[in-house]
Amino acid sequence: MQISMIINGQEKAFNVEPDEYLSDTLRSAGYKSIKRGCDKSSCGACTVLLEGKPILSCSYLSFRANGKKVTTLEGEREEAIKLGSLIIKEGGDQCGFCTPSLILTTIALKRENANPTEEDIKHYTNGNLCRCTGYVAQLNGIKKYLGVE
Amino acid sequence: MAVNERIDKQDGLRIVTGSPIYTDDIASPDALVVKIMHSEHHYARIKKIDTQEALKMPGVACILTYKDIAAKPITRAGQTYPEPSPQDWKILDEYVRFKGDDVAIVAADTQRHAVEAMAKIEVEYEVLEPVLDFMEAEGNKAVVHQEEDCFAHFDFGFRPKENVAGSLKVNIGDYEKGLKESDVVITREYRTQATHPAMMEPLTAYTYLDHVGRLVVVASTQVPFHVRRQVATALNIPMHKVRVIKPRIGGGFGCKQTSGAEFYPSLVTLKTGRPAKIYFSRNEVFLAATRRHPFWFELTVGATKDGIIKCFDMKARSDAGAYGEHCWTVLEAGAEKCMALYNKVEGYRYDGKALYTNRVSSGAFRGYGKTQNTFAVECIVNELAEILNIDPVELRNRNIIREGEVLRIGHDHIYDAAVMRQDSCKLDYCLKRGAEMSNWKNSESGKTSSNKAEGTGLALSIQGSGIINLDSGGATLKLNSDGFFTLLIGSADMGTGCDTILAQMAADALEVPYESIVVNSADTDVSPYDDGSYASSTTYVTGTAVVKAAADMIKRLKEEVAKLWKLDLEEISYREGVFTGADNEIDLNHLSYELNSEQISVTRSHKCAKEAPPYKSGFAKVEVDLETGKIKVNEFNAVVDCGTPINPNLATVQTQGGVLQGIGMALFEEINYSQSGDELNDSFMTYKLPCKKEAPKINVEFADSYEPSGPFGAKSIGEVVINAAAPAVIHAIYKATGIWFRELPVTPEKMFKALKLKSNQE
Ligand code: FES
Ligand code: FES
């Protein structure tokens, strides 16, 4: 079926199967910041923003995004570098497979909640699993980015 | 100086912007999609397999079954040849030996086409009686490997007819004497479970033929050179026809030290001439990738009443699963050092066996046997302290190995004391400092409110920094125009940052800015031979190769400068990128243009020659909810002796990651089985990994340590950091509740039941 989405500000048309997931549609269109770690909405690696809110694209059917605004990390380069550099400074970019989705989720958090606490951050990003870092360095980077003491 | 600096990881910016850097990101969109048809039975013989209908399905490029290939047995374990693992695995076989084993390989234009075609394959099985419990495997009438052609390169106790995949006995010193001198002797049983490496990027590989028809394998692997050999052997093509390239890896933790994905697209590309790729779903990773060996231990320790540990005796049994990758070396690694932390004993005895079952293969996983053995040893030492009524920190103080002393392990009959002498060992400091950080002396223990109890526990750990006389790493340095250097290495950065730290070492050894080093890793056509990244060896072994290569490079360049200026070599000096003669000076930039017609490059290798293990202490603070059994680690303090930390940031984060994996093993992670023996939790929905909310504050400090045999004084860090976590947590639970757990993981359910039982008994 024919659908269109506004991806990172640009309208694009796609021909998708009725049972196709958004992560597959977008990855084949070249948005490789979206990773696939579990295909079962459990790891967060496939996060994209739909109308500004994080969703798990591995379990979101593509046709449902018809006419909607989708943001991938490719569309947030500036913020990604800002937050990313802080995570890098902490050594929190290990294998990096989980990092793009964590960054995108944090960007959404920033827009949703101007003054989050550390607990808010943990809660909001709890679904972004990481097997390498033990989370401490990631959290330190995020706290600096959001100005949380 | 770059070494010991908190330098940013080289690939950081590409990582955080989500750039296409991993195998599946860079695979050609035209690549055929390869899928594996997995066995539905624990153990069966394929009586009939019919692919006629499947082949007629749209988009199908090829379907392969055991009938299509005359496979030779190999091992998928990424180890130095001749591998100390049984040669017991074939790409496709008439027998399937675990639920999830390979039945057929399907390649099609798209995933959809492949899955639809697979549904049309008809298989008739002769279902065989499986053996699922490793404690019942030895001598069982269900024999996992009945085939005649499996073999071992040398004798490590491989007795397939009895389901013994490997065995090991170690006897050091005089155990009987130690036993006689002991006032207190205790024996305990311990069990550790199968856990998943759960690296975030699943197994994946992408293959194509290059312009001269060679097979190029792009793979997320820790061991590019071993993959080259294994693919060539398994596919029966000469090794020079295979090139392996490793892009960024999304984590490995040992799981990618076994070639789990590479063979399938390789086979398809050779058959069809077309590019092919495979990307395991998470479910398939659970189904078919290797995991940590489950262990059973029976451990005896003897000590005098004033707390001198006199002897250890350990019986160990492990579940190898259906194929014996890494099973014997995991035994060996486990047998080796954990008991030897207490090197004042009269004698150690170890008797270990790895047993075949009809389960998914076990394999390498961070810590590699030492994690499991450390759990048993550190738990029993804590129990001993309790029985002797000696503070566990003090008990260790009286017994642990110290700097200058000799590490007594299974190899002491082969190597002399100089090889085993611990020139850097700050374990006593790690213990002392960890106790301070955790406020050991005054820490709360026991009930703190009506429904909460708290406790602090500790454990020590040790690992290797490479396998003596076996692990080798290589480094090539090349001087380029403009005076920058290319550093070619064959180790595999799986996220640890080894590309970065090796560049730091190269920069310092060459006395140039860090930015002047460009790293290329790894490509078997280009990189010098390296065993790959495992056995904690990259920093220590490949790092030494880098330092040697840099020294050679400076020497070679001095020779060129001497020629240029017609001077003797001795008249040339070098400092920070500038060569100086009596009245001349030239920097690397200008020299590189002078030398344009002469490419200067040097390659050096290093073979591990010294036992230079890292050490660590771990202190866990836990809180137990007495009403629900919920256990929370509130704080973990780790003090690590890894020699010089080459990059303190990266070393800290590796420690934190390792500790959290250890906590996962202690409290959450485990495969559960149904009555019929099927795995119940085969996804991230059901297999519990620690999330942010469960992650404690993990404080990390490093001992001021310097290993003379290591590059810039460095030792390893990657594995030692996981080992002490689980026993420290178990100890803390005991301190909180008075209950010893001897089986992992301690779930809230088990805690709750134990609390109930205890209150009933009181
Ligand atoms: S891949 Fe979507 S949540 Fe894991
Ligand atoms: S950095 Fe590897 S999974 Fe998070």
Side-chain angles (χ1 to χ4, degrees), chain A residues 4 43 47 51 53 55 58-59 65 70-71 103 125-126 136-137 148:
Chain A
S4 77
C43 75
T47 304
E51 303 288 335
K53 293 263 186 285
I55 58 150
C58 70
S59 36
V70 175
T71 311
I103 288 179
T125 61
N126 199 41
V136 185
V148 179

Side-chain angles (χ1 to χ4, degrees), chain A residues 35-47 56-59:
Chain A
K35 309 297 176 202
R36 289 168 304 158
C38 73
D39 7 88
K40 277 216 169 51
S41 48
S42 310
C43 75
C46 63
T47 304
L56 301 169
S57 62
C58 70
S59 36

Side-chain angles (χ1 to χ4, degrees), chain B residues 64 191 224 282 421 445 470 475 558 596 642 647 698 755:
Chain B
L64 300 162
R191 270 171 187 271
R282 183 55 60 179
R421 196 186 53 236
S445 84
L470 200 69
K558 274 187 181 168
N596 259 351
C642 61
N647 186 321
I698 305 171
L755 286 166

Side-chain angles (χ1 to χ4, degrees), chain B residues 343-344 400-408 417-428 610-611 615 641 706-708 715:
Chain B
N343 69 335
K344 316 289 181 289
I400 53 172
I401 183 163
R402 282 160 202 268
E403 197 157 271
E405 292 180 359
V406 170
L407 185 68
R408 298 168 63 195
V419 173
M420 293 294 154
R421 196 186 53 236
Q422 298 302 286
D423 296 328
S424 65
C425 170
K426 298 278 190 286
L427 184 60
D428 49 346
K610 178 95 180 41
E611 196 61 62
Y615 294 92
D641 166 11
Y706 186 93
E707 168 57 41
K715 300 190 279 190

Side-chain angles (χ1 to χ4, degrees), chain A residues 92-99 128-135 138, chain B residues 15 22 198-201 249-251 253 494-495:
Chain A
D93 52 330
Q94 288 272 292
C95 84
F97 208 72
C98 70
T99 321
N128 292 90
L129 292 182
C130 174
R131 190 57 157 169
C132 301
T133 63
Y135 302 114
Q138 290 183 341
Chain B
I15 282 176
Y22 304 95
M199 62 289 165
M200 280 298 144
E201 179 200 31
I249 311 180
F253 308 116
M494 54 191 125

Side-chain angles (χ1 to χ4, degrees), chain B residues 494-523:
Chain B
M494 54 191 125
T496 57
C498 72
D499 285 0
T500 305
I501 62 150
L502 293 172
Q504 287 177 256
M505 293 190 209
D508 276 13
L510 289 164
E511 303 180 31
V512 298
Y514 171 73
E515 293 70 32
S516 314
I517 310 290
V518 171
V519 180
N520 180 312
S521 83
D523 175 342

